[in-house]
Amino acid sequence: MTTLEKTEAESLQAVSPRVVYLNEYKKPDYQLDSVELRFELDETCTRVYSRLIFRRAPEADAQAPLKLDGSHLELRSLKLNGETLKPDSYMLDDEQLLIQNLPKNFELEVGTHINPQANTALEGLYLSSGMFCTQCEAEGFRRITYFPDRPDVMSRYSVTVVADKQKYPVLLSNGNKQDAGELDDGRHWVRWQDPSLKPSYLFALVAGDLASREDSFTTMSGRKVSLQLFTEAENIHKCEHALMSLKQAMKWDEDTYGREYDLDVYMIVAVNDFNMGAMENKGLNVFNASCVLASSETATDQDYYRIQSIIAHEYFHNWSGNRVTCRDWFQLSLKEGFTVFRDQTFSADLNSPAVQRIDDVNVLRAHQFSEDAGPMAHPVRPDHYIEISNFYTVTVYNKGAEVVRMLCNILGREGFRKGTDLYFSRHDGQAVTTDDFVKAMEDANTVDLNQFRNWYSQAGTPELVINENYNADARLYSLTIRQHCPPTPGQVEKKPYHIPLAMGLIGINGKALSSILENTKANTAKPEHMLALTKPEQHWTFSGVDEKPVLSLGRGFTAPVKILLPYDNEALAFLFAHDPDEFNRWDAGQKLAINIMLKLIDDYHTGKDLRLEASFIEAYRLTLNNKDLDKALVAQALSLPSESYLADQCEIVDVDAIHKVREFIRQQLAESLADDWLRVYEENDVNATYHFSAQDMAQRSLKNLCLSYLLEQDNGKHRQRCLSQFQNSDNMTDVLAALSIFNQHDMAERQQALDAFYDKWQHDRQVVEKWFSIQAGSSLAGALKRVQTLMRHPVFSIKNPNLVRSLIGRFCAANPVNFHLSDGSGYRYLADQVLALDGLNPQIAARLLQSLSRWRRFDTMRQILMREQLERIAGHPGLSKDVYEIASRSLEG
Ligand code: PHE
Ligand code: ZN
């Protein structure tokens, strides 16, 4: 049968798709001893030949059929031990090829045809800007050939790539280059051999007319590894930073985890069309161009920072993901949670630990907490899914990282390292579970982590209620903590968690009260400064406390929980000024701002005049003028909580009130501290050449924060300042900061700057993505119209995920006042885009749709409007599994 003639949409689900459950996991009946692949590349009809050597697993039934996955394939030939298989000895449908009556050991040869050009889903083999590339995680390999496409089937691959020599001079696959040659017909070929065991999701192939930059790294045992970055020739000047980051990551992983790279070559390819950020294919990473290419004129500090961390992330996967991989996709956090933790620690070590931690927590609070509180809530190790692509989530990645971080906090750095050493040596070359990871931690440290495992199996964000008491006569301070985790879909009752909580007590003079922790009787966890909350309610008493202390709890954010401190604004302002823990000092400022904002939202609803407390302004003034603080921390401290985090704190989300109140506070701060903003702006406006360093970034971030407050004042001089920064800066950080500020203000400079920016950068697609994204994020009225107009811009293409994310995604997820317009136009627009995209790229469509999933949080009128669009989507015939799952769960949850 041929699925090639079918359109994407026709072969998708007609009825409710099958749900996959964790507890139905079965080991594969057949293991693969070797894989030989031959690709004859052609834009519309690529031929794939595979030779697979299978071996029946010892425990498998002798009658067990071989199940091969396959979709969007045209089966052309099928041979068992050299003999063509008769049609009655196998079964074939849209998703599977099933072969019966098999011997213990056998060789299978499969020939398929595929159409890369028609592949708009960007899974499997596809074309991007004239080059061939692949994306196989999670289940993309089945779009290349019939194969046991599951991570617990690991094998050694030999791959021959054949293609036209002129069009595709560079032919890449995993491992080491073994041989190459030319054919008579203008084609050439290269053979790659990957000595390591790998699952199919780590397979990669790239072919194109690519330029490359090379460097090298000598590993701890003295092996020289060649590092190569491939890109379109026009971007060859943007490779430096990624190569530098790669070397830093390689060194760091040796120093921190004792992990050495294992192949002779490490290749990275930048592609323009990619569903995610990057992919850790063995020895051949494929990167979204926006996550790897940078020059100071075109990339911001944030881009540089993100590139450094993603390069490291993919590199770290070589051990945490590739050499030790996942048994099944429910275990995704085994590699992702751990690897995110590793990249976060790397970034902290190379830059500013406190800033990194604040960024991590901001992501968690703005996105993961709300995921955990909505219909898509799922545990770090989910137990069922319809489409695994929907589970590449902030919960699996970022909460997963927090769970690993808690292990590190409980065991201490040394104990944690013992655990990872054991984990890597015990499971090298295996496909394992999150439980195996925890077991290695236990075995290396002789601790009982049984209760800790609840973090993997239960969804939801635990809440801690704090009660304290100070007895001055007895010099006793006592602390009671109650934990509670709200119900999530399918999980009503939760077992108590094992929660590590770093804490300190602060005296009136701002100094830490000493010796308190020695008296912490109930503390069972290591190291000493960590409380271990394990019961639903737990009590601690501290003796020898000479004055009434202020509690600083959860320092460094040692657990992904909500801490409900019984503190008023005065105590929070005290912590904001005095907590020696940098993270908690920032956090106190955030909590203070939230309290004030919630109160103002109330006032707004009851029609009271809005008034900002003088003490809050004073707290900001002190921080802005605190010369002892890292400038990046000052900038963080003076950034108000995001509208989405604030929304999370509201009973019913009123996007307009939230926006108005936040703007009101910014306005008040802008005017009250006018001189301070200007002075600090000028102090930090040093026109040095661009350098990516923590110090310079800090300076730029503080300067640009000041500029944004300056523009809140109606003052022509400040507008001129902003314009001059926009026109004269030689680095994208400062240019884009100025443009973003104009973009939020209804002034003539706004359109002028946007036009000038486009004129200057229209040839550079990465910068044009920024141009789209900025406009989609403008909270000025009329944004939807502007977004719709931009969709007709000649550069825009709905087939390119970066452009879709920049324009549609940004509008729906980061422009609340315009997206939630009370006439429902934003919702209708989103639904239209989801339906248009679903036939092209279901993964991207499903991601967009998430913006509607938390409809129950809004007022009745908006609930009705959002629900209407969800139902419209859910009722659409031929939906992909991806979109079906998000729509149906959103409606149920
Ligand atoms: N595994 C990739 C990473 O996190 C993400 C990814 C998933 C990329 C699926 C493509 C497809 O490093
Ligand atoms: Zn990853």
Side-chain angles (χ1 to χ4, degrees):
M1 65 157 282
T2 80
T3 44
L4 271 186
E5 288 116 50
K6 284 196 181 183
T7 69
E8 205 103 324
E10 279 170 336
S11 55
L12 297 169
Q13 314 301 306
V15 282
S16 308
R18 192 170 72 89
V19 181
V20 187
Y21 294 95
L22 167 61
N23 62 17
E24 287 174 356
Y25 172 82
K26 284 198 185 58
K27 283 191 187 157
D29 290 324
Y30 295 89
Q31 283 294 346
L32 251 178
D33 284 336
S34 74
V35 177
E36 246 179 74
L37 298 170
R38 177 183 169 88
F39 287 84
E40 296 188 3
L41 294 176
D42 180 272
E43 290 81 0
T44 55
C45 182
T46 287
R47 286 146 214 259
V48 185
Y49 303 95
S50 81
R51 208 162 72 90
L52 311 172
I53 311 287
F54 281 103
R55 173 173 39 89
R56 192 188 302 139
E59 62 277 9
D61 191 304
Q63 296 308 308
L66 173 70
K67 291 185 197 135
L68 302 179
D69 306 290
S71 74
H72 298 78
L73 301 173
E74 185 184 345
L75 180 62
R76 299 297 300 227
S77 60
L78 185 59
K79 283 185 190 168
L80 178 68
N81 289 329
E83 303 257 342
T84 295
L85 269 177
K86 300 204 186 65
D88 62 354
S89 49
Y90 64 89
M91 272 150 58
L92 182 64
D93 65 23
D94 273 4
E95 295 190 335
Q96 259 196 358
L97 170 61
L98 210 105
I99 307 176
Q100 268 143 338
N101 302 322
L102 290 162
K104 249 195 180 135
N105 299 287
F106 58 93
E107 176 192 294
L108 196 71
E109 285 168 274
V110 189
T112 51
H113 286 188
I114 49 182
N115 183 349
Q117 192 153 75
N119 185 349
T120 53
L122 315 185
E123 292 174 88
L125 180 70
Y126 63 94
L127 282 166
S128 173
S129 305
M131 66 195 261
F132 285 95
C133 62
T134 56
Q135 175 50 47
C136 295
E137 187 180 4
E139 299 182 330
F141 197 79
R142 62 191 60 189
R143 299 176 65 129
I144 292 174
T145 182
Y146 289 97
F147 201 83
D149 191 14
R150 43 187 289 171
D152 55 355
V153 174
M154 299 175 83
S155 192
R156 292 200 168 77
Y157 287 60
S158 163
V159 179
T160 307
V161 187
V162 189
D164 185 88
K165 190 173 179 191
Q166 283 237 294
K167 272 166 119 173
Y168 307 104
V170 176
L171 305 176
L172 309 174
S173 191
N174 319 82
N176 301 314
K177 195 188 270 190
Q178 213 191 20
D179 203 357
E182 300 200 357
L183 304 177
D184 302 334
D185 55 2
R187 293 190 297 172
H188 69 145
W189 59 271
V190 178
R191 181 165 307 130
W192 293 84
Q193 174 87 46
D194 186 353
S196 34
L197 278 175
K198 70 163 175 285
S200 52
Y201 82 87
L202 290 174
F203 167 82
L205 176 157
V206 170
D209 187 1
L210 299 168
S212 74
R213 284 279 337 231
E214 247 186 81
D215 205 332
S216 72
F217 178 81
T218 304
T219 69
M220 59 204 239
S221 72
R223 279 189 313 103
K224 191 166 170 185
V225 180
S226 157
L227 316 177
Q228 301 167 15
L229 207 169
F230 295 85
T231 172
E232 295 163 289
E234 69 205 46
N235 288 324
I236 198 70
H237 63 289
K238 294 189 183 179
C239 296
E240 223 56 54
H241 177 62
L243 281 169
M244 167 68 105
S245 304
L246 178 58
K247 288 186 285 181
Q248 290 169 326
M250 294 177 90
K251 180 74 169 68
W252 186 89
D253 213 16
E254 291 185 346
D255 294 346
T256 317
Y257 284 87
R259 299 294 117 199
E260 187 176 0
Y261 186 62
D262 48 7
L263 294 169
D264 301 334
V265 48
Y266 193 92
M267 297 174 283
I268 293 173
V269 184
V271 304
N272 292 325
D273 303 271
F274 202 70
N275 283 345
M276 308 278 273
M279 179 62 210
E280 70 264 23
N281 315 303
K282 183 76 190 190
L284 177 55
N285 290 179
V286 174
F287 269 65
N288 188 322
S290 73
C291 297
V292 57
L293 303 174
S295 72
S296 60
E297 308 86 67
T298 61
T300 62
D301 285 340
Q302 266 182 27
D303 295 330
Y304 272 80
Y305 201 94
R306 203 182 56 206
I307 289 167
Q308 188 184 53
S309 100
I310 299 180
I311 288 277
H313 179 99
E314 306 311 330
Y315 174 73
F316 297 154
H317 267 316
N318 191 54
W319 275 96
S320 50
N322 299 3
R323 290 186 68 135
V324 182
T325 196
C326 302
R327 184 192 74 173
D328 55 75
W329 292 117
F330 296 105
Q331 318 300 328
L332 183 56
S333 197
L334 173 80
K335 72 178 179 83
E336 296 305 345
F338 186 21
T339 304
V340 170
F341 171 68
R342 276 149 60 69
D343 82 54
Q344 289 176 347
T345 325
F346 165 79
S347 296
D349 284 354
L350 265 70
N351 303 289
S352 153
V355 171
Q356 174 66 33
R357 196 64 194 126
I358 289 168
D359 285 344
D360 298 341
V361 173
N362 272 332
V363 169
L364 206 73
R365 282 181 175 160
H367 305 291
Q368 200 280 324
F369 282 12
S370 67
E371 182 163 88
D372 242 350
M376 285 302 296
H378 54 276
V380 167
R381 183 193 57 218
D383 48 21
H384 67 283
Y385 61 74
I386 290 177
E387 171 53 63
I388 185 58
S389 302
N390 285 331
F391 288 81
Y392 286 75
T393 58
V394 269
T395 298
V396 166
Y397 274 66
N398 300 66
K399 185 177 180 180
E402 294 300 324
V403 171
V404 174
R405 183 183 297 268
M406 284 190 283
L407 283 171
C408 184
N409 279 327
I410 290 171
L411 302 170
R413 279 229 173 189
E414 262 175 51
F416 182 72
R417 170 67 194 269
K418 276 198 240 158
T420 59
D421 282 352
L422 179 62
Y423 168 74
F424 287 128
S425 66
R426 184 186 271 177
H427 297 299
D428 194 7
Q430 297 178 3
V432 303
T433 63
T434 55
D435 211 51
D436 292 318
F437 182 80
V438 178
K439 187 81 174 50
M441 291 292 152
E442 275 179 328
D443 292 352
N445 289 283
T446 59
V447 287
D448 180 353
L449 295 169
N450 224 6
Q451 186 185 2
F452 186 84
R453 288 176 166 83
N454 293 340
W455 282 109
Y456 286 96
S457 57
Q458 297 186 156
T461 309
E463 294 170 359
L464 309 186
V465 177
I466 315 298
N467 276 295
E468 52 174 2
N469 186 50
Y470 179 62
N471 181 333
D473 296 339
R475 295 160 65 225
L476 287 179
Y477 171 80
S478 63
L479 177 64
T480 305
I481 307 181
R482 245 182 324 118
Q483 61 165 304
H484 164 78
C485 183
T488 47
Q491 291 185 339
V492 181
E493 295 288 332
K494 314 277 168 133
K495 290 182 236 143
Y497 292 85
H498 175 175
I499 303 173
L501 288 169
M503 66 156 289
L505 297 179
I506 305 169
I508 296 300
N509 57 5
K511 284 239 175 73
L513 291 183
S514 56
S515 82
I516 47 158
L517 289 159
E518 291 153 27
N519 302 309
T520 309
K521 292 269 167 11
N523 190 0
T524 52
K526 291 181 287 183
E528 290 296 302
H529 294 74
M530 208 65 82
L531 301 182
L533 173 62
T534 54
K535 301 186 191 120
E537 178 171 324
Q538 212 163 320
H539 191 74
W540 290 268
T541 303
F542 305 91
S543 58
V545 182
D546 290 329
E547 54 180 280
K548 184 170 193 291
V550 179
L551 171 67
S552 169
L553 189 64
R555 287 184 159 174
F557 202 76
T558 43
V561 298
K562 295 183 182 167
I563 298 179
L564 311 174
L565 276 183
Y567 283 167
D568 58 14
N569 290 354
E570 200 186 329
L572 289 173
F574 174 82
L575 284 169
F576 185 40
H578 296 297
D579 197 322
D581 182 76
E582 289 177 326
F583 174 84
N584 263 18
R585 192 166 51 224
W586 167 81
D587 197 30
Q590 296 289 296
K591 289 193 162 114
L592 175 61
I594 294 262
N595 277 355
I596 287 173
M597 288 162 118
L598 290 177
K599 162 85 171 40
L600 288 174
I601 289 171
D602 249 10
D603 291 350
Y604 177 83
H605 283 146
T606 52
K608 287 201 193 118
D609 276 348
L610 301 187
R611 223 183 53 80
L612 185 59
E613 292 172 32
S615 61
F616 185 70
I617 298 172
E618 183 56 15
Y620 262 50
R621 198 185 58 77
L622 283 176
T623 304
L624 182 55
N625 290 296
N626 187 336
K627 289 267 189 297
D628 297 335
L629 285 179
D630 173 359
K631 289 178 177 173
L633 284 177
V634 174
Q636 295 270 23
L638 302 183
S639 302
L640 294 170
S642 67
E643 292 183 23
S644 85
Y645 183 47
L646 202 60
D648 233 39
Q649 320 290 312
C650 300
E651 220 31 71
I652 295 170
V653 179
D654 178 344
V655 286
D656 298 314
I658 291 174
H659 185 70
K660 286 237 166 60
V661 161
R662 199 170 181 279
E663 287 305 297
F664 167 76
I665 299 180
R666 282 182 53 82
Q667 187 80 45
Q668 294 293 303
L669 290 167
E671 283 162 19
S672 314
L673 305 176
D675 299 342
D676 304 83
W677 297 122
L678 182 57
R679 198 188 58 258
V680 180
Y681 176 79
E682 282 176 339
E683 278 168 14
N684 289 285
D685 187 28
V686 286
N687 244 336
T689 39
Y690 181 86
H691 187 53
F692 173 70
S693 70
Q695 223 186 345
D696 287 12
M697 277 191 292
Q699 190 156 34
R700 283 187 289 269
S701 67
L702 182 54
K703 174 183 74 176
N704 289 322
L705 179 89
C706 292
L707 186 62
S708 80
Y709 278 107
L710 289 176
L711 269 268
E712 296 290 336
Q713 308 160 43
D714 187 14
N715 182 328
K717 282 215 185 89
H718 294 332
R719 287 205 291 278
Q720 193 48 48
R721 240 175 220 111
C722 192
L723 192 61
S724 142
Q725 173 168 327
F726 172 75
Q727 288 167 337
N728 303 328
S729 301
D730 60 354
N731 71 79
M732 184 52 82
T733 307
D734 288 340
V735 172
L736 203 70
L739 183 62
S740 309
I741 292 169
F742 280 140
N743 183 52
Q744 298 298 352
H745 293 278
D746 191 9
M747 47 179 72
E749 287 87 348
R750 177 175 179 275
Q751 198 55 47
Q752 286 163 20
L754 283 167
D755 292 346
F757 189 80
Y758 181 77
D759 268 1
K760 180 160 181 194
W761 293 111
Q762 49 182 306
H763 61 278
D764 188 309
R765 57 190 309 141
Q766 286 179 269
V767 185
V768 174
E769 281 167 22
K770 295 185 199 303
W771 182 75
F772 278 119
S773 167
I774 286 225
Q775 297 179 78
S778 172
S779 55
L780 298 179
L784 177 56
K785 273 254 158 55
R786 291 192 297 273
V787 167
Q788 283 169 322
T789 308
L790 285 169
M791 282 184 69
R792 292 191 295 271
H793 192 283
V795 174
F796 184 80
S797 160
I798 199 158
K799 288 190 182 163
N800 177 269
N802 286 7
L803 292 168
V804 169
R805 274 186 285 256
S806 301
L807 195 56
I808 312 173
R810 176 96 200 271
F811 173 76
C812 298
N815 193 344
V817 276
N818 281 295
F819 175 62
H820 292 283
L821 223 55
S822 58
D823 63 358
S825 53
Y827 309 146
R828 257 190 326 273
Y829 165 75
L830 171 58
D832 290 345
Q833 303 317 312
V834 168
L835 290 174
L837 261 167
D838 197 34
L840 296 167
N841 189 330
Q843 278 184 29
I844 302 294
R847 251 171 222 276
L848 275 186
L849 180 54
Q850 304 248 12
S851 293
L852 282 179
S853 69
R854 300 213 58 205
W855 57 280
R856 283 197 171 82
R857 305 271 297 114
F858 295 85
D859 54 83
T860 325
M861 182 190 65
R862 285 190 174 85
Q863 282 194 24
I864 293 170
L865 293 167
M866 291 172 97
R867 201 194 152 98
E868 222 169 73
Q869 296 307 317
L870 276 167
E871 279 167 350
R872 179 181 151 216
I873 292 170
H876 200 85
L879 277 190
S880 67
K881 286 200 254 184
D882 311 57
V883 166
Y884 172 86
E885 184 169 36
I886 307 287
S888 57
R889 275 183 78 148
S890 303
L891 286 165
E892 280 159 25

